Amino acid sequence: EVVSGAQLIAQALRAQNIEYMFGIVGIPVTEIAIAAQAVGIKYVGMRNEQAACYAASAVGYLTGRPGVCLVVSGPGFLHALGGMANATINCWPLIVIGGSSDRNQETMGAFQEFPQVEAGRLYNKLSVRPSSLEVIPAVIEKAVRTSMYGRPGSCYVDIPGDFVNLQVNKSSVKYMECCLPPPISMAEHSAVSKAASVIALSKQPLLIIGKGAAYSRAENNIRKLVDLCGLPFLPTPMAKGVVPDNHPNCVAAARSMALQHADVIILLGARLNWILHFGLPPRYQQDVKVIQIDICAEELGNNVKPAATLLGDINAVTEQLLEEFNKRSWKYPSNSEWWQKLRGRIKNNEERSKGLALQKSLPMNYYTVFHHIRELIPKECILVSEGANTMDIGRTMLPNFYPRQRLDAGTFGTMGVGLGFAIAAAVVARDCTPGRRVVCIEGDSAFGFSGMEVETICRYNLPILIIVVNNNGIYTGLDENSWEQMLKFGDPATCVPPVSLLPNAHYEKIMSAFGGKGYFVKTPEELQNALKASVADKQTPSLINVMIDPQSERKKQEFPWLTRSNL
């Protein structure tokens, strides 16, 4: 009995419990997608390889098992590089399967010929091409295993075009069973007790929860640790919801102050990169003691010499800390001067945001828009967010109560991820948590990167709610009158500011073009009505295009995108 290359690939993915594939078919990979559907893998056809790769990577983060991105050779492969890099830098498991030119035409200038395996090495943990059909299952097992083991990341498997329809005897194939779940490593006991001692001596402690903690499903243990020790905590953007944002110990609304004055910082699956200002002064105390908990040994000691390093799985190491503190019965006093300062700053900042949110002037500002969104979207929805001001202000204004329910531009600061992430979240939610909605909040510029994926959303009937916060530009824009005046000066390419986009662009019509519902709103009342209608309709995708003041920015700050102070 014979089997084709396409069937071998599909069967091998299924054997590794892969459930989702995203991609764009064409020569030479179409048969692989057909074979995948035949073995029960869900295939979602996208409109751009970049969005397909972002979607597959989000599946890896949401489920802990990689999604697959299927692309054609040459340009198809190259368009997926953005998703590979984004997955590896975010530490999410991903498998990319790329067709490549036939082996007998190598070096001849074949159709879409490109050195894909070599190119893939820069973006992936593993970049390989099986040497024969017989080893395809072994190579795919290794790719899936490598993507999940240790620090997760992207893996690329290159499939020569002539392999796809080539056939081989089943008896000669090296079939593989599903790889074991990633092994769980724990920190050494001495490091755990040293960390506990440093924490117990702290005067101004701060726990920082990173998306590594969300990925390792450590939410129950981390909540217990926060409650047992009474520690103030700060989530990084995608770790919002590991402990609910409305927990009394959350100090996100006093972020700058918490970072600047903490004497001991516990990093739970968070890296001291640009998002956390590298752990260096003036954002931190010169002599801050850092306790680093990470799955990756190479991360330990980056930028700051740690007071203690706990290498291991975040969930397992948190449990070790819990055991240690159960023995010590230490709790940080909730009436300390540090808590009083933090609570004072939180109250101040929340009042400033509230003041901005309740402004009645039109056009609306960001804070007013997010105030109404927060009031009307379901508490348990999955939030996808991208943009500059839209993402930054949205992060502070929109709470998360559950883990892994906020997806954004991430460590790599990638624009264009929104619709791919939303599609992945909706497909996974449909299978795992039916009825849970996906709300995708986009800046108008961010939406433009993959706006055509609205057709994909409508084709698969995914009831995603997209909200475009439209300020006619990148960071800031022009109103219609200023735009008209500008055009009198001549060619827009020479006189229009580089940050400008077309004023009052009707993005909602992209949704109605494909059968979803579109709303164009300018006032709080129109916004409330559109939100209520979209949330009530659980079957239909919708897009609310919210016009805001083109000059609206965040709280009193010049050039917010340059200061990055509240990222």
Side-chain angles (χ1 to χ4, degrees):
E1 198 185 347
V2 292
V3 61
S4 72
Q7 289 169 315
L8 275 175
I9 293 163
Q11 290 163 7
L13 290 169
R14 197 73 203 105
Q16 300 305 320
N17 287 336
I18 298 299
E19 292 182 60
Y20 304 99
M21 181 183 277
F22 301 82
I24 298 179
V25 294
I27 297 167
V29 300
T30 308
E31 292 85 350
I32 297 174
I34 295 168
Q37 284 182 320
V39 297
I41 293 172
K42 294 188 172 173
Y43 175 79
V44 177
M46 306 281 282
R47 303 305 303 265
N48 184 304
E49 289 91 357
Q50 203 174 62
C53 207
Y54 293 144
S57 70
V59 164
Y61 175 61
L62 294 168
T63 68
R65 212 160 186 84
V68 173
C69 176
L70 178 71
V71 296
V72 300
S73 41
F77 164 82
L78 288 172
H79 290 165
L81 290 178
M84 297 181 212
N86 194 61
T88 298
I89 286 172
N90 274 334
C91 314
W92 294 353
L94 166 70
I95 302 293
V96 178
I97 293 179
S100 55
S101 33
D102 292 5
R103 289 169 303 165
N104 64 354
Q105 296 174 357
E106 268 177 27
T107 74
M108 294 173 67
F111 174 66
Q112 297 186 334
E113 184 178 349
F114 192 76
Q116 293 171 201
V117 177
E118 293 92 312
R121 286 204 180 99
L122 200 53
Y123 308 88
N124 293 278
K125 290 179 76 177
L126 179 73
S127 186
V128 289
R129 170 193 273 199
S131 56
S132 67
L133 261 62
E134 287 84 350
V135 299
I136 283 174
V139 167
I140 283 179
E141 185 273 344
K142 177 167 177 140
V144 171
R145 178 165 41 86
T146 304
S147 77
M148 297 188 298
Y149 277 35
R151 174 186 268 179
S154 177
C155 292
Y156 173 66
V157 180
D158 193 70
I159 303 291
D162 53 307
F163 273 21
V164 176
N165 292 314
L166 197 62
Q167 294 187 321
V168 65
N169 262 331
K170 270 187 173 173
S171 57
S172 63
V173 174
K174 187 182 175 186
Y175 283 104
M176 303 291 285
E177 286 181 19
C178 186
C179 64
L180 293 167
I184 291 175
S185 54
M186 287 157 89
E188 47 197 330
H189 288 295
S190 59
V192 175
S193 79
K194 176 161 191 211
S197 301
V198 173
I199 295 167
L201 291 171
S202 65
K203 299 272 182 289
Q204 307 194 147
L206 178 66
L207 180 65
I208 299 180
I209 304 169
K211 67 176 169 299
Y215 180 80
S216 80
R217 289 168 163 61
E219 52 269 16
N220 292 342
N221 280 329
I222 293 175
R223 285 176 203 184
K224 283 182 198 160
L225 185 70
V226 166
D227 291 335
L228 180 70
C229 296
L231 295 167
F233 74 88
L234 176 70
T236 63
M238 269 198 263
K240 278 162 62 73
V242 169
V243 183
D245 281 343
N246 61 351
H247 189 286
N249 289 34
C250 179
V251 296
R255 183 182 190 273
S256 299
M257 181 186 172
L259 296 176
Q260 199 159 18
H261 296 289
D263 64 349
V264 171
I265 285 179
I266 305 111
L267 289 174
L268 272 172
R271 294 172 278 182
L272 288 178
N273 53 25
W274 67 278
I275 293 180
L276 289 174
H277 316 291
F278 313 108
L280 298 173
R283 293 304 196 128
Y284 292 76
Q285 293 293 309
Q286 180 73 52
D287 54 356
V288 63
K289 290 186 166 69
V290 174
I291 292 162
Q292 235 179 328
I293 306 166
D294 207 284
I295 186 84
C296 174
E298 288 82 350
E299 189 58 46
L300 301 170
N302 275 343
N303 300 326
V304 174
K305 188 177 181 183
T309 54
L310 285 70
L311 174 65
D313 173 79
I314 303 296
N315 190 35
V317 176
T318 306
E319 198 156 325
Q320 288 180 282
L321 281 168
L322 271 173
E323 284 167 19
E324 187 68 32
F325 279 115
N326 272 322
K327 280 187 259 176
R328 295 181 183 228
S329 69
W330 173 84
K331 186 164 187 172
Y332 184 67
S334 60
N335 58 354
S336 67
E337 201 180 324
W338 178 227
W339 260 126
Q340 284 162 11
K341 275 188 195 162
L342 288 168
R343 287 194 192 107
R345 178 61 61 92
I346 288 169
K347 197 163 174 256
N348 251 348
N349 286 347
E350 283 177 348
E351 278 167 7
R352 282 170 70 196
S353 293
K354 202 172 178 179
L356 287 162
L358 298 176
Q359 280 180 3
K360 291 276 183 273
S361 55
L362 290 176
M364 294 181 282
N365 67 37
Y366 284 105
Y367 293 87
T368 309
V369 170
F370 285 123
H371 168 74
H372 292 297
I373 294 173
R374 179 173 64 201
E375 298 301 302
L376 292 169
I377 58 174
K379 192 177 171 180
E380 71 290 347
C381 72
I382 298 167
L383 280 173
V384 180
S385 178
E386 65 171 335
N389 297 336
T390 301
M391 184 172 73
D392 294 342
I393 299 169
R395 187 185 60 250
T396 62
M397 294 280 295
L398 300 174
N400 286 83
F401 305 102
Y402 303 97
R404 295 169 298 283
Q405 288 191 197
R406 179 187 162 85
L407 296 163
D408 67 21
T411 308
F412 209 28
T414 309
M415 289 298 128
V417 293
L419 276 76
F421 282 3
I423 288 166
V427 168
V428 170
R430 182 175 275 179
D431 290 346
C432 304
T433 49
R436 182 169 296 163
R437 295 297 292 274
V438 176
V439 178
C440 179
I441 303 175
E442 301 272 303
D444 50 331
S445 166
F447 176 72
F449 282 82
S450 44
M452 197 45 75
E453 299 303 334
V454 168
E455 186 274 328
T456 311
I457 290 170
C458 292
R459 184 168 11 115
Y460 292 98
N461 201 28
L462 302 169
I464 294 167
L465 165 55
I466 300 171
I467 302 169
V468 177
V469 183
N470 189 348
N471 68 346
N472 304 338
I474 303 172
Y475 306 124
T476 58
L478 297 171
D479 60 39
E480 207 147 15
N481 289 340
S482 315
W483 178 261
E484 296 297 333
Q485 294 305 313
M486 254 327 149
L487 294 185
K488 290 178 183 164
F489 294 116
D491 181 349
T494 56
C495 59
V496 165
V499 293
S500 299
L501 296 169
L502 190 69
N504 295 339
H506 280 268
Y507 297 112
E508 78 286 353
K509 291 189 174 169
I510 297 177
M511 181 60 86
S512 46
F514 299 117
K517 290 198 175 143
Y519 302 88
F520 182 77
V521 309
K522 289 184 159 182
T523 66
E525 296 68 40
E526 291 170 351
L527 175 58
Q528 286 170 309
N529 292 337
L531 282 166
K532 284 174 187 162
S534 304
V535 170
D537 184 344
K538 295 179 168 59
Q539 310 303 317
T540 318
S542 49
L543 191 156
I544 305 175
N545 183 10
V546 188
M547 301 310 299
I548 64 162
D549 182 351
Q551 296 299 315
S552 175
E553 290 187 20
R554 25 188 135 145
K555 291 179 293 201
K556 304 287 175 288
Q557 237 176 288
E558 284 301 300
F559 298 116
W561 62 92
L562 292 179
T563 64
R564 286 287 182 211
S565 72
N566 43 3
L567 269 180

